[in-house]
């Protein structure tokens, strides 16, 4: 049986606080729902019980979307969690096209831990698309998600199947 740790609970608290003001683009729901879905996909679909990976799943957007940096994450949760989250962090100074290209390049050589979180992330994202998107936006987005999924698929056949279903 798997136990809940204080560390995981602290990560959940940090995620809730760091993203408290954020809403999902798809339905304007609180952003924490996305982070909980990523955690749920990792544990219940991917059967990932490595606490560092589950915590990184909860915190995968925290550097990108809050004042918390890699150093603080390292201090709070260790260097492995911080490096997984850091590997999943977009450079917001780049254009969307550049960020997507960067993600694909980085994922090629990323460890399984990073690919697991990314697969869970895109599975959650694929099932909650903003209502106002044009056909072109949808096609463009899913083309990119499919490339990400293809790079990450070997990390978890179960999460890859879940992505295909959500798509």
């Amino acid at each position: 049986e798997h136990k809940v740790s204080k560390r995981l609970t602290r990560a959940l608290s940090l995620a809730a606080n760091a993203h408290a003001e954020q809403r999902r683009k798809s339905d304007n729901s609180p952003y924490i729902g996305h982070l909980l879905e990523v955690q749920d996909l990792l544990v219940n679909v991917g059967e990932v019980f490595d606490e560092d990976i589950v915590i990184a799943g909860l915190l995968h957007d925290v550097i990108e979307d809050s004042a918390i940096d890699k150093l603080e994450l390292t201090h709070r949760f260790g260097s492995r969690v911080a490096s997984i989250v850091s590997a999943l962090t977009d450079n917001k100074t780049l254009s969307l096209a550049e960020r997507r290209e960067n993600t694909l390049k980085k994922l090629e050589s990323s460890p399984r831990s990073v690919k697991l979180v990314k697969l869970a992330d895109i599975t959650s994202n694929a099932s909650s698309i903003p209502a106002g998107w044009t056909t072109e936006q949808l096609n463009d987005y899913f083309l990119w998600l499919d490339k990400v999924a293809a790079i990450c698929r070997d990390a978890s056949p179960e999460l890859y199947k879940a992505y295909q279903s959500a798509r």
Side-chain angles (χ1 to χ4, degrees), residues 2-22:
H2 306 285
K3 291 185 273 189
V4 175
S5 75
K6 287 182 180 179
R7 195 166 162 256
L8 183 63
T9 304
R10 282 197 333 266
L12 182 54
S13 244
L14 179 66
N17 291 328
H19 298 281
E21 302 303 314
Q22 282 181 270

Side-chain angles (χ1 to χ4, degrees), residues 111-124:
R112 180 172 181 261
S113 55
V114 171
K115 292 178 179 180
L116 284 167
V117 175
K118 193 63 180 177
L119 257 182
D121 179 33
I122 66 167
T123 300
S124 172

Side-chain angles (χ1 to χ4, degrees), residues 2 5 23 28 53 55 62 74 82 85 98 146 154:
H2 306 285
S5 75
R23 311 300 264 177
N28 206 36
I53 297 172
I55 288 172
V62 81
T74 302
V85 172
E98 290 170 318
D146 286 346
D154 292 343

Side-chain angles (χ1 to χ4, degrees), residues 53-150:
I53 297 172
V54 175
I55 288 172
L58 274 172
L59 300 176
H60 74 272
D61 283 330
V62 81
I63 294 173
E64 199 172 297
D65 294 341
S66 79
I68 293 160
D69 62 12
K70 186 177 180 180
L71 194 62
E72 185 174 344
L73 268 189
T74 302
H75 176 71
R76 289 186 184 208
F77 299 102
S79 60
R80 186 164 176 244
V81 168
S83 71
I84 295 169
V85 172
S86 184
L88 295 162
T89 300
D90 269 356
N91 177 349
K92 294 273 185 134
T93 64
L94 301 176
S95 71
L96 179 61
E98 290 170 318
R99 291 197 322 253
R100 286 181 175 176
E101 199 50 48
N102 239 10
T103 296
L104 295 174
K105 269 193 217 124
K106 279 182 3 185
L107 280 172
E108 291 283 352
S109 58
S110 289
R112 180 172 181 261
S113 55
V114 171
K115 292 178 179 180
L116 284 167
V117 175
K118 193 63 180 177
L119 257 182
D121 179 33
I122 66 167
T123 300
S124 172
N125 288 340
S127 62
S128 56
I129 301 299
W133 277 15
T134 65
T135 305
E136 187 181 349
Q137 283 174 302
L138 283 170
N139 290 340
D140 189 46
Y141 187 58
F142 279 110
L143 188 65
W144 179 71
L145 287 184
D146 286 346
K147 288 178 186 174
V148 171

